[in-house]
Amino acid sequence: MILPNVLLLVTIMSLVWFLKGDLLGYRRIKRLPDTASRQKTYRLWIAKAAIAFVLPAVIGLALLGRLDALVTVPPEFAALRTLLPSFEGYSRAELLGMIGGSALGGLIIGAVLATRRNWRILKTIGNVGSLLPRNRPEIAHAVAMSIAAGISEELAFRLFLPLLVALVSGSAFVAFGVAVAAFGAMHVYQGRAGVIATTLVGALMAAVYLMTGELWLAMVLHALIDLNSLVLRPILTGAWRAA
């Protein structure tokens, strides 16, 4: 099977291209004081995520004749899924309610704790301080970036990359091990703590996807996590008041 190998090579090249741009973009935003330049960088990140993650996944799945994988878990993942609890019996409404309730509870707890100055537990993990929005227009861009990341990164790292590695290696365990490691490596700009944290988040998102069989659910949860870090906390610290 030549096609999966070719697509895997192209995907790796896309990831490397995005990672280089990610590092340059973060260095750029750290030294950009004006909000117009920062907003432009946010928009550039969103566009690059679409090019590096979404386009290769959609085109690759089409070439493989596997667009059905967008709504049905590929059988190549079955060996790993059998080792995890299954939540496939739940309706979509129940699953969304579970995630929504957990997310809302987390947001409420975060909002309460953020009002207490001595709660250092709310300190953001990883070197992302320069990325956080500083005013309302930047917060709006951060919302868009969080949603885009939830969709594009889950599509790439929870479905397309694992599928390609599984087709090439024949192992779902190798596939998701590589995908989770790659997801963590893509956040190297956040420093060691950020890489460790995002690797654990990647493993959690993979478990959510495999246990529920719903890629959209992992996308929603991923977006909520990013919204908490990139939007809620800056709002609670006063960024919303800056025009």
Side-chain angles (χ1 to χ4, degrees):
M1 297 175 64
I2 299 177
L3 184 57
N5 289 276
V6 173
L7 290 175
L8 180 58
L9 178 60
V10 172
T11 300
I12 292 173
M13 292 172 62
S14 296
L15 296 181
V16 171
W17 172 76
F18 183 87
L19 178 58
K20 289 182 177 179
D22 220 19
L23 292 171
L24 291 174
Y26 192 67
R27 294 189 191 114
R28 188 184 304 115
I29 208 169
K30 288 177 70 173
R31 64 174 184 269
L32 293 176
D34 64 294
T35 187
S37 297
R38 289 173 58 84
Q39 292 174 51
K40 182 179 179 181
T41 303
Y42 290 144
R43 292 193 295 270
L44 187 61
W45 256 316
I46 294 172
K48 285 187 174 181
I51 295 172
F53 301 149
V54 178
L55 282 181
V58 173
I59 294 174
L61 289 172
L63 290 174
L64 290 169
R66 300 294 298 273
L67 285 173
D68 61 306
L70 293 171
V71 294
T72 305
V73 180
E76 289 82 1
F77 301 162
L80 183 54
R81 296 189 73 198
T82 58
L83 300 179
L84 298 170
S86 176
F87 292 90
E88 284 192 300
Y90 288 80
S91 69
R92 293 190 173 211
E94 289 174 320
L95 289 172
L96 188 56
M98 290 169 57
I99 295 297
S102 299
L104 180 59
L107 292 177
I108 293 174
I109 293 173
V112 172
L113 295 183
T115 63
R116 303 175 66 90
R117 295 181 180 179
N118 295 328
W119 279 90
R120 296 185 178 181
I121 190 173
L122 288 179
K123 182 178 179 181
T124 302
I125 299 175
N127 180 25
V128 297
S130 299
L131 181 62
L132 300 179
R134 302 172 182 177
N135 53 44
R136 276 175 286 179
E138 291 184 11
I139 287 174
H141 281 74
V143 170
M145 190 164 62
S146 298
I147 295 172
I151 295 172
S152 63
E153 293 179 13
E154 291 308 303
L155 179 60
F157 292 99
R158 248 54 75 191
L159 173 58
F160 189 54
L161 180 59
L163 178 59
L164 290 179
V165 177
L167 289 173
V168 171
S169 69
S171 171
F173 300 93
V174 172
F176 278 91
V178 169
V180 169
F183 180 72
M186 294 302 294
H187 297 80
V188 68
Y189 69 91
Q190 295 183 14
R192 182 179 299 177
V195 170
I196 294 174
T198 52
T199 298
L200 293 176
V201 169
L204 172 63
M205 295 300 100
V208 168
Y209 170 52
L210 292 172
M211 289 189 297
T212 65
E214 302 286 359
L215 183 62
W216 66 269
L217 195 57
M219 291 177 175
V220 170
L221 184 57
H222 186 149
L224 288 173
I225 291 173
D226 284 2
L227 286 168
N228 178 62
S229 299
L230 298 179
V231 178
L232 177 64
R233 294 186 184 186
I235 287 177
L236 293 174
T237 56
W240 184 254
R241 292 191 292 271

